[in-house]
Every structure is written in structure tokens, then in C-alpha cells.
Amino acid sequence: MTVRPLGVDPSGCFIGGQWRASASGQTLALGDPSTGEVLCQIARGGAEDIDQAVEAATAAMAGDWGTTTAVERGRVLYRIGQLVLEHIDALAELEARDVGKPLKQARADVVALARYMEFYAGAADKIHGSTIPYLDGYTVYTLRQPHGVTGHIVPWNYPMQIIGRSVGAALAMGNAAVLKPAEEACLTALAFAELAHRAGLPAGALNVVPGLGAEAGAALTSHPGVHHISFTGSVGVGKLVQQSAAQNVVPVTLELGGKSPQLVFEDADLDAALPFLVGAGIQNAGQTCSASSRILAQRGIYERVVAEMTTRYRALRVAPAMADLDVGPLISNRQKAIVEGFLNDGDDLEVVAQAALPPDLPAGGAYVAPTLFANVPRDHKLAQDEIFGPVQVIIPFKDEADALAIANGTPYGLVASVWTSDGARQMRLAKALKVGQVFLNNYGAGGGVELPFGGTGLSGHGREKGFEALYGFSSLKTVAALHG
Ligand code: NAD
């Protein structure tokens, strides 16, 4: 099959406003998660391509892009958002095929990408410095300025959403971006570059170099011409990225994994909670950093939570991405083997539900049956480690203190939700949960363009999304004038 994202040759890098082959001329095979077949060849970018991309971005900062006003940057971003929406069908199909996600999820991701462009278009000219009262005879003010060249390393699970939130905010603040998408799924990154170009983004303001993490990725994080790194991915690589960026003392935003809990109390509206309890776990086949992989249920409601979730699990339909049912394949057979390893680690646990895999699934696809474990000890590997597959565990708890201890009892801290009708408990837990986002009587896996997002502990540091991201993608300068 030949895939041409918006007419673009998928084996190209986008550097300085032009499509070109990687400097080495080498390519990588891009797999189709639904079938295991090869979708197309992508560029195997390396250090030389990253050098050229950083050079193009540096030139853009010294040229047209560096002098583009905030209002004009906003207009360009808005046009990109409009073009994204005009191409929703093509982009959704690309993302669905590339990632293996059901088409409706991919369409939601396109809408989110457009929303990021709209949000940051509107925000570009609304962020500014301040004046500071100081000594007599002084005027002191602050300037909020772009870092310069920003590096963006993106994983395969939500390419469009993560590009939107990080590249969108960086461009709004006037940085020039170099994007290294994941080698497992990069087609919408290429399509996005093409649309940004068509929308009038000046050459060099956005450059895309596909390739392997250890090659193009490592070259980007250690490059002395890069002034900020935004990384979304695994904890292990996040540590490498931070070490690498430290060589040049460059700030890093790390959006890593999670083991996000939903706390369900006896006074909760369980009917309202149930779609979120299951949906936030199996969305994108569980390959969501903010997937809710732990359900904490109070003893008095525990049996009902298990029974109701079991019914919902048994009804889940697993299918290739383009069949657009509930759960698609995992990104690769490598990821499938990792998730199956976790399922084996759960041999000693009670499997209460497993969705059936239809017999006609393509043999080479990376399908895993959604699996629900109950009565899981809080310290069990499956209750502690990020699985990144359609697997959830239910853990019973006694009271509020017990729930909080379990919720905070992993090294991660990304998202949590609390289901209770007790307002005071909502407030207490919102303060005490060690996470970057708390949802009260709802759960927003990955959602909320406007909502600052990021983690604590092994989930990372720094915040993206919302206005908060604009502070991360800019630096603050203090100007003190003594005029008497
Ligand atoms: P990964 O860390 O293997 O890869 C992520 C990106 O890093 C890819 O583009 C990869 O090429 C690149 N990379 C790999 N090695 C590198 C290196 N040495 N230097 C620079 N870049 C390198 O992660 P993954 O398997 O693609 O994604 C899954 C992980 O991402 C999960 O742990 C998940 O929780 C996390 N994630 C987090 C968020 C979030 O917002 N917190 C969002 C999505 C995914």
C-alpha cells in the first residue's frame, strides 16, 4: 500500500520549508498495527538532518519568523487550525491506520489538534510581561520572550494531539520548532508540516525530522543550538533526554507515564461513573499516558463496581482501526508482547472479565483482549507499573484515608478522579492527591486543550496545555531602568 499524506512523499524530512530525503538516503518501514503489514517507508533522519533542521530554525528566528508580531503568529496558527479541520477525513484516516486507533478516536484527535491551533492562536497576543514597583527613580518591567529553537519529541499514541499542544504553544510564543515524531507513527506529523506550510508559516519555523529515537532523537536533545526540549514518552527515555539536555543546560518539559486512579466512594453516582471507569481505561486500547488503569472501589460498592464493569468489558468489540469499533490493535507486536508479559504477571490474580477476540482479526495485527482484574493487592506489579494496554485493575478500599494512601502509593502522579457526592471530601482529596490533574465526578483522559497538564514524580515535570504552556515555552527577562 502507498500512503501519501496530503500528497506528500512519506519518506521525506521537512526542513526549511522544503521536503527532502534524509541525508543518508535511508528509510525505515512503517508498520500497520491492524494487519502487521508495511504501510510505507519513512525517512530515517539522523544527526546531519537534525543539524540542518536546527540551522533552518535558527535562520527563521533571525529572519521572517523572529520579527512576526504576536497577532500575526496567532493568525497563522488559526489558518493552520482551519486547514486541519478542512482535511479532517484525510487526517483521521492517516492517524487511524498509522496508530491502529478506531476512526472515531482519530477524528476526535483531529478536532483536538485544530482546537490547540485555535486556542494558541487566540492566546498568542494575550501573554505579556508586567511592571514591578521598585526603588524611587526606577521603572522595572518584565519581557516574556521565546526561547529560540525548541525541540519536540513525540510518541506514537496521540501524535496529532501531542504535536498540537507542544508545537502549537511553542509557535504561539514565537519559537521555531524542530519536531522528531515517533518512528512507529509519524504520518500526521508530516501532514501537519505540509498544512502549516500551506497556511503560510514561514520556512524554518517548523521542521520535521522522522527517525529513530537513539539517532534523530538523541541528536536533537544534545544539540547546542536547541534552547528548550519538550519530551513526551516513557520514563526511561525521559531520564536520558533530561541528561542529554543537561549537557547544554537546556530546560526540559517531561510528560511521562502514569498509573492514574479513579476513587469510587459508596456515596458516588455509580451510573454516572461507569462509562468513565471503563472508557478512561480502554480508550486508545489503553495506550494513553493518562489512562485510568486503577479503579479504587470502596468496600460497600465494590461488588457492584466489579459486576457492572465486567458486563461492560464483555461487550467491548475489538477490531481493525478502520472498522471503527471500541478497541483497536496495539501499536505493534512489540507492545503486544509487553502487555502479554503483564498479563502473565497477573497469573495469581482474579480475571473477572476478558473481551472476546473475534476469530477473523488479521493474523499479523497486534490485538490484545481487554482484561479486567479484581481484588488486586495494592502493591502487586499490575497495580504499580504502567501497562499501556487495555488492562485495568480494581482495588478495594476501606475509607478515605485508605483510598488516599493507595492512590498516592505509586511512583507516578499524573491524573486522578474522585467519585463522591460529599463536597468536603472532594476538596480534601483534590488537595491531597499527588497528581497534576484531579477530576471530581468525571475523568478526562487526554482531554481539555485549555487545562494545564503534566505530572509529579515519575510522571514528569513542567506543564503543557492551556495558558500555562506559554510560560514554559518562553523565558522572562527583567528590565530595570534608573532614570531618576
Ligand atoms: P518512548 O519513550 O520509547 O518514545 C517516545 C519518543 O522518544 C519517540 O519519538 C522516540 O523515537 C523518542 N526517543 C526514544 N529514544 C530516545 C533517545 N535516546 N533520545 C531522544 N528521543 C528518544 O515512548 P513510547 O513507547 O513511544 O510511548 C509510550 C510512553 O509514553 C508511555 O510510557 C506513556 O505513558 C508515555 N506518554 C506520556 C504522555 C504524557 O503526556 N504524559 C503522553 C503519551 C505517552
Side-chain angles (χ1 to χ4, degrees), residues 154 156-157 165 180 183 232-234 255-257 289 386 388:
V154 167
W156 42 260
N157 56 349
R165 78 180 189 211
K180 208 300 280 174
E183 52 272 41
T232 303
S234 61
E255 302 280 11
L256 309 177
C289 52
E386 185 182 51
F388 231 54

Side-chain angles (χ1 to χ4, degrees), residues 236-263:
V237 175
K239 290 178 184 173
L240 291 177
V241 166
Q242 186 157 343
Q243 285 166 1
S244 174
Q247 295 170 56
N248 300 311
V249 198
V250 163
V252 176
T253 301
L254 295 181
E255 302 280 11
L256 309 177
K259 195 71 188 171
S260 299
Q262 299 197 59
L263 286 58

Side-chain angles (χ1 to χ4, degrees), residues 198-272:
R198 291 184 197 173
L201 189 70
L206 170 63
N207 308 275
V208 182
V209 181
L212 298 173
E215 297 175 0
L220 181 58
T221 57
S222 61
H223 200 292
V226 174
H227 307 110
H228 181 281
I229 300 284
S230 161
F231 172 80
T232 303
S234 61
V235 176
V237 175
K239 290 178 184 173
L240 291 177
V241 166
Q242 186 157 343
Q243 285 166 1
S244 174
Q247 295 170 56
N248 300 311
V249 198
V250 163
V252 176
T253 301
L254 295 181
E255 302 280 11
L256 309 177
K259 195 71 188 171
S260 299
Q262 299 197 59
L263 286 58
V264 191
F265 286 85
E266 286 160 4
D267 62 358
D269 177 350
L270 191 54
D271 290 333

Side-chain angles (χ1 to χ4, degrees), residues 74 77-78 80-81 84 108-123 158-169 172 192 437 446-453 464-466 469-470:
L77 285 175
Y78 191 78
I80 298 174
V84 164
D109 292 355
V110 182
V111 172
L113 171 60
R115 266 297 292 143
Y116 279 114
M117 295 303 121
E118 290 164 356
F119 182 87
Y120 287 117
Y158 290 87
M160 280 191 290
Q161 291 217 29
I162 297 170
I163 290 169
R165 78 180 189 211
S166 95
V167 173
F192 179 72
Q437 273 189 342
V449 166
E450 305 84 351
L451 313 181
F453 176 75
E464 290 190 339
K465 302 191 181 186
L470 300 171

Side-chain angles (χ1 to χ4, degrees), residues 259 341-342 345-346 349 376-387 393:
K259 195 71 188 171
F342 276 106
D345 290 332
L349 297 174
V376 176
R378 61 191 70 184
D379 295 327
H380 194 284
K381 186 173 168 42
L382 268 65
Q384 287 288 319
D385 293 358
E386 185 182 51
I387 298 173
V393 299

Side-chain angles (χ1 to χ4, degrees), residues 127-139:
I127 184 151
H128 45 70
S130 55
T131 55
I132 299 173
Y134 191 51
L135 303 175
D136 189 33
Y138 279 83
T139 297

